[in-house]
Amino acid sequence: MSEIYDLIILGAGPAGLTAGLYAGRSRLNTLILEKGGDGGQIAITSEIENYPGQMPEGESGPSLIARLTAQVEKFGAKRAKETVKEVKLDGESKIVVGERAEYRAKTIIIATGANPRPIGCRGEAAFVGKGVSYCATCDANFFEGFDVYVAGGGDSAVEEAIYLSKFARQVTIIHRRDALRAVKAVQDKAFANPKIGFIWDSVVEDLRGDGLLTGLTLRNVKTGILTAIDADEEDGMLGLFGFIGYLPCSALFEGQLAMENGYILTDEDTRTSVPGVFAAGDVRRKSLRQVVTAAADGAIAAMQAEKYLLLG
Ligand code: NAP
């Protein structure tokens, strides 16, 4: 039979890595499973300026995560690249079935995070990677000197628009209301940026282009009026970045854990509805989704897993 770990952590974003750091320091036999690179959404965040104690001049998500990964490795949590296909959470020994192997553990921390929500306009899927993106850090340089549109009005949309303005000729934020949701300090930066404009009360209705994205149709949600936006003829393309929130990565746990709108329900100590199973970070229902709250969840979850191993 395969090794039984004390703890398996699903996901290596800020919540999972912090759980791994704490579990490693507590000498729990810990395995972190991650299907992609470390960092989750932070790996695609261009600049972080509100993580306590970070570089005061601002820091990129990948830079912060690289330091966290090194810190986790120092304390001994094992790592494996794995796409998890199935979990069986109810028994005393929890089973995680991956593409490469099957794993067992006495406790599980779910830190699978969330993925960008699609904009929801016609033609979107066909233009992903051909004008449509959900990651400014990854794709901003493809739009050097082009016109770029950003859908959304929250922190992500406004912060990433500011980042995109370093590359694009002009960035236009398309928001479905007439007031931004983003925190005031970030709004002020965007309003003061001459390369950022706004289209209010509007959503993206459909996309067009022959291979590359060359045009958008917007719908004013108050008047119903449709407006076509076309790429500059010489450019021959434009960019559309979607930042309209996230969808939790929780499908694997449906029917096994209590959830609400796809978010895993926990108590304040990150305990789910199943003993020995904890959820940390953006995948759990909570009021504030930030790197600092993900890290806090990870620390709490690891300590609760340790307590569960000792006391049941
Ligand atoms: P968010 O705060 O949920 O904002 C989503 C934005 O998209 C809102 O402005 C919303 O409009 C709009 N929207 C939602 N559904 C839409 C649709 N179907 N069509 C058009 N627009 C739509 O998402 P987020 O900005 O990605 O942030 C997620 C979480 O991470 C938040 O808690 C945020 O504070 C946090 N975050 C923090 C930082 C930071 O602290 N530096 C950075 C990034 C994200 P309405 O305003 O009308 O609802």
Side-chain angles (χ1 to χ4, degrees):
M1 199 170 76
S2 60
E3 176 177 9
I4 301 187
Y5 291 94
D6 291 328
L7 169 64
I8 290 178
I9 298 167
L10 306 179
L17 288 173
T18 307
L21 168 65
Y22 274 70
R25 287 189 81 235
S26 292
R27 306 278 192 272
L28 301 187
N29 183 15
T30 301
L31 175 67
I32 304 175
L33 299 177
E34 167 59 57
K35 69 173 189 296
D38 285 4
Q41 286 168 51
I42 290 308
I44 60 168
T45 299
S46 52
E47 192 177 345
I48 298 172
E49 55 178 23
N50 59 359
Y51 189 71
Q54 68 165 89
M55 307 293 183
E57 61 277 12
E59 182 170 21
S60 75
S63 159
L64 182 68
I65 284 298
R67 287 189 285 120
L68 178 50
T69 296
Q71 197 180 7
V72 173
E73 279 164 6
K74 181 173 150 192
F75 291 107
K78 295 171 192 132
R79 309 288 314 264
K81 194 153 227 149
E82 182 65 275
T83 300
V84 177
K85 293 286 176 202
E86 193 185 346
V87 292
K88 293 171 196 153
L89 300 174
D90 50 354
E92 215 170 288
S93 166
K94 320 292 181 197
I95 301 168
V96 177
V97 184
E99 270 177 1
R100 295 165 184 228
E102 187 172 303
Y103 311 84
R104 285 167 191 265
K106 295 171 200 159
T107 61
I108 300 277
I109 295 175
I110 298 166
T112 45
N115 279 328
R117 182 196 296 275
I119 298 165
C121 51
R122 277 191 298 276
E124 183 171 0
F127 289 106
V128 173
K130 295 168 185 161
V132 171
S133 171
Y134 310 93
C135 174
T137 320
C138 319
D139 296 331
N141 59 330
F142 296 126
F143 297 94
E144 182 96 52
F146 290 88
D147 290 331
V148 162
Y149 294 80
V150 168
D155 286 322
S156 301
V158 182
E159 286 184 2
E160 299 307 311
I162 293 168
Y163 178 73
L164 284 163
S165 73
K166 295 175 191 166
F167 300 80
R169 176 195 297 129
Q170 177 75 22
V171 179
T172 306
I173 295 178
I174 301 161
H175 184 33
R176 66 179 176 181
R177 292 189 292 129
D178 62 1
L180 297 172
R181 177 184 292 276
V183 73
K184 186 77 172 52
V186 174
Q187 290 194 27
D188 289 346
K189 269 195 197 171
F191 289 137
N193 185 325
K195 285 175 82 178
I196 298 181
F198 297 85
I199 297 177
W200 303 109
D201 298 318
S202 298
V203 292
V204 183
E205 192 82 350
D206 66 35
L207 308 182
R208 31 180 204 285
D210 186 12
L212 294 176
L213 180 66
T214 56
L216 324 170
T217 304
L218 307 187
R219 178 171 54 85
N220 184 301
V221 294
K222 287 189 174 158
T223 62
I225 291 172
L226 300 177
T227 306
I229 291 177
D230 291 299
D232 180 279
E233 247 179 56
E234 271 188 25
D235 293 352
M237 69 174 273
L238 48 73
L240 174 63
F241 285 75
F243 299 108
I244 64 161
Y246 291 89
L247 298 171
C249 301
S250 61
L252 275 177
F253 318 107
E254 262 166 33
Q256 298 192 60
L257 297 177
M259 292 194 205
E260 190 180 275
N261 297 327
Y263 290 99
I264 298 172
L265 297 178
T266 70
D267 66 7
E268 66 173 310
D269 283 329
T270 74
R271 284 184 289 236
T272 69
S273 54
V274 172
V277 179
F278 307 86
D282 286 2
V283 75
R284 81 175 183 98
R285 192 184 67 177
K286 60 197 289 191
S287 60
L288 183 63
R289 293 194 169 82
Q290 300 273 291
V291 189
V292 68
T293 60
D297 280 0
I300 294 167
M303 293 297 91
Q304 287 298 325
E306 185 183 22
K307 193 168 162 194
Y308 177 86
L309 289 166
L310 282 173
L311 306 173

